[in-house]
Amino acid sequence: MPETAGKIRIAVIPGDGIGKEVIPEACKVIEAAARAGGRAAEMVSFDWGADRYLADGVTLPADAPEMFRREFDAILLGAMGDPRVPSNQHAADILLGLRAKLDLYANVRPCILLDKKYTPLAGRSETDIRFTVIRENTEGLYVGVGGFFKKGTADEVALQEEVNTRKGVERVIRFACEFARRNGLKKLCMSDKSNALTFGHDLWQRVYHELRPEYPDIAFSHLYVDTLVMQMVRDPSQFEVIVTCNLFGDIASDLGAQLAGGLGLAGSGNIHPGSVSLFEPVHGSAPNIAGRGIANPVGSVLTSAMMLAHLGWDRESRWLDAAVRASLREGKTTPDLGGSMGTKELGDWLARHVAGHS
Ligand code: NAD
Ligand code: IPM
Ligand code: MN
C-alpha cells in the first residue's frame, strides 16, 4: 500500500465478549484519524463469533479468505472465545483458520512500556522494556494434527503433533531479522527447546545457525524457552527482538504484555508480507468482565496503530500512539490499570485527542 493511499478498506470482526466492546472504540479512533488526515477508512463488519455459531453453525465461510484477499486492505479482529462453546470450535475455525488460510506466518507482538508507572517490575522504566516477540504463526503445535485412541477409557491416548517445516522456520527467522533491520534494532534472540525437543527444535537450531552469517549487522543470541521467560522478568532490557515457535510465542507474549502494563494494552499483527494481514489485540474475550463496559480499549487502539502503519498511514498511526501515551500519562485509564473510566468513555477521549490533530 503506497504512503499516499487516500482510502483503506478494513474488514472488522469484533468476535466475542469484550471484543464486541473494544473494537467499536478502535473503529471510532481510526475514523477520527482518517478525518483529521483528510483520508477515508471504510470499515465493513462481519458478525462471526460464538453467537453466530450457536445460531446457525457458521464459523468461517469457505470463501472468506479469498474475499479478504480480493476486497480488503486489512482485517481487524477483537477476540474469539465463549464459555458456551467449550470446544472452542469457532475460534479454531475463524482465528486459527484465518492465520492458516491467509498464511499469516509472522505474529508481531510488541511489548513496549509506554509509561513506567504501569509495569509490575520494580525499578524498571520505558528504556528497559522495549522488545517485540515474533511468534511463528502457522505451524508448531497449532496445526491440529493428532487424535484420540480409546477416548474415554482408562487406556486413552491423546496425540498432538508439533509440525516444524524447513520453509516455515526459515521464513519466520528471516522475517524477524528483516523486522530488526527495518526498525533499527540490533539484537535478536531465538528461543526454542532444542535440548528436549531433539527433532523439531533441532531444525530451528540448524536454520538459525545457517541464517546468522547473512545478517552480520545483527547480534544474535539463543536461549532455551524456560530461561527466556526467566530472563524476561530478571532483565528485560537485554531484549530487542525475540523469535520463537507458535506455542512459546503465545506464552512469552502474554508475559511480555504484562511487563509492559498488562493485556489491556497489548496489540498485535498477524502478517504475511505483501498480502492481506490480520490485526488483533493480544487479549481474549475476557468473559469475567464482558458486558460491563469496563474493558480496556487501548490494546485494540494500539493494534489499529500497527495496522495503519502497515498500510502506509504513518502519520495517522502516530496520532493513535500519541493519544494512548497521553491517556496513560494523565491516568485516563480503565479499572485494570487502576482508573475509573469506562470502555466507551476512554474511546471517546482517545478519539477527541486524535481529532485534535486536524
Ligand atoms: P483473556 O485475555 O480473555 O483474559 C485474561 C485476564 O485479563 C482476565 O482477567 C481479563 O479480565 C483480563 N483482560 C484481558 N483483556 C482485557 C482488557 N482489554 N481490559 C481489561 N482486562 C482485560 O484470557 P482468558 O481468560 O484466558 O481467555 C478467555 C477466552 O478468550 C477464552 O475462550 C480464550 O480461548 C479466548 N482467547 C482468545 C484470544 C483471541 O481471540 N485472540 C486470545 C486469548 C484468549
Ligand atoms: C492468542 C490466543 C489464541 C492462540 C487462542 C485463542 C487460540 O491465545 O491469539 O494469543 O493461542 O493463538
Ligand atoms: Mn494467547
Side-chain angles (χ1 to χ4, degrees):
M1 183 76 33
E3 165 70 33
T4 50
K7 182 175 174 190
I8 51 175
R9 199 151 188 268
I10 311 297
V12 179
I13 312 172
D16 302 329
I18 64 166
K20 287 195 275 206
E21 300 171 43
V22 294
I23 290 297
E25 301 311 311
C27 292
K28 195 192 295 175
V29 177
I30 293 169
E31 257 155 26
R35 217 173 300 122
R39 291 169 156 177
E42 186 190 349
M43 288 177 260
V44 180
S45 203
F46 295 83
D47 67 353
W48 306 329
D51 285 341
R52 182 73 193 275
Y53 174 60
L54 291 168
D56 60 15
V58 167
T59 55
L60 184 72
D63 64 344
E66 206 32 60
M67 183 259 306
F68 287 144
R69 279 207 184 91
R70 209 175 45 237
E71 297 176 22
F72 290 91
D73 296 305
I75 305 162
L76 178 63
L77 185 143
M80 292 291 161
D82 188 301
R84 294 170 300 164
V85 188
S87 68
N88 219 21
Q89 186 59 50
H90 67 299
D93 289 359
I94 299 168
L95 181 60
L96 304 183
L98 284 171
R99 287 176 184 167
K101 290 176 178 159
L102 293 173
D103 202 22
L104 306 171
Y105 66 83
N107 194 330
V108 179
R109 297 189 152 184
C111 307
I112 295 174
L113 180 62
L114 298 181
D115 192 308
K116 67 169 183 275
K117 59 180 173 289
Y118 299 108
T119 183
L121 294 186
R124 293 292 176 187
S125 67
E126 295 85 349
T127 47
D128 296 317
I129 302 171
R130 297 193 53 77
F131 61 89
T132 298
V133 175
I134 311 267
R135 164 185 179 186
E136 200 293 318
N137 211 33
T138 52
E139 337 193 306
L141 274 160
Y142 279 71
V143 293
V145 174
F148 299 110
F149 178 53
K150 300 188 181 176
K151 189 177 180 188
T153 74
D155 296 323
E156 174 161 354
V157 178
L159 296 176
Q160 193 90 42
E161 297 292 335
E162 189 187 57
V163 171
N164 297 275
T165 69
R166 165 83 213 192
K167 174 181 146 191
V169 175
E170 181 175 337
R171 68 183 182 174
V172 78
I173 297 180
R174 273 193 196 286
F175 181 99
C177 293
E178 301 296 337
F179 177 90
R181 277 187 174 165
R182 222 175 26 254
N183 290 284
L185 302 171
K186 296 270 172 260
K187 292 189 270 186
L188 191 149
C189 177
M190 193 280 274
S191 185
D192 61 28
K193 189 66 189 169
S194 47
N195 50 351
L197 308 183
T198 50
F199 306 118
H201 290 203
D202 181 73
L203 176 61
W204 278 78
Q205 277 294 316
R206 280 181 285 122
V207 173
Y208 165 69
H209 285 290
E210 269 177 51
L211 293 188
R212 283 176 66 152
E214 291 186 38
Y215 298 91
D217 48 322
I218 293 178
F220 289 90
S221 62
H222 169 262
L223 290 176
Y224 298 123
V225 70
D226 42 355
T227 304
L228 171 77
V229 291
M230 178 276 288
Q231 289 290 354
M232 282 170 66
V233 174
R234 194 188 71 82
D235 179 16
S237 71
Q238 67 188 288
F239 298 112
E240 290 185 345
V241 181
I242 295 167
V243 63
T244 189
C245 66
N246 207 337
L247 182 65
F248 297 169
D250 179 45
I251 298 165
S253 58
D254 263 35
L255 174 59
Q258 190 57 53
L259 299 181
L263 270 179
L265 301 179
S268 81
N270 299 254
I271 310 290
H272 185 112
S275 183
V276 71
S277 293
L278 183 155
F279 296 80
E280 53 165 350
V282 174
H283 65 73
S285 56
N288 60 337
I289 58 163
R292 291 166 53 194
I294 57 167
N296 195 336
V298 166
S300 294
V301 172
L302 290 175
T303 294
S304 304
M306 290 176 75
M307 179 177 75
L308 295 183
H310 182 81
L311 298 177
W313 285 26
D314 290 337
R315 189 182 47 162
E316 287 78 1
S317 171
R318 281 195 297 274
W319 292 341
L320 266 58
D321 201 64
V324 167
R325 284 172 191 268
S327 70
L328 293 173
R329 202 168 45 240
E330 295 181 29
K332 304 275 183 210
T333 60
T334 42
D336 53 308
L337 294 186
S340 58
M341 289 179 98
T343 310
K344 193 171 165 316
E345 195 186 350
L346 181 51
D348 287 341
W349 193 95
L350 294 167
R352 270 200 309 279
H353 194 282
V354 164
H357 288 282
S358 56

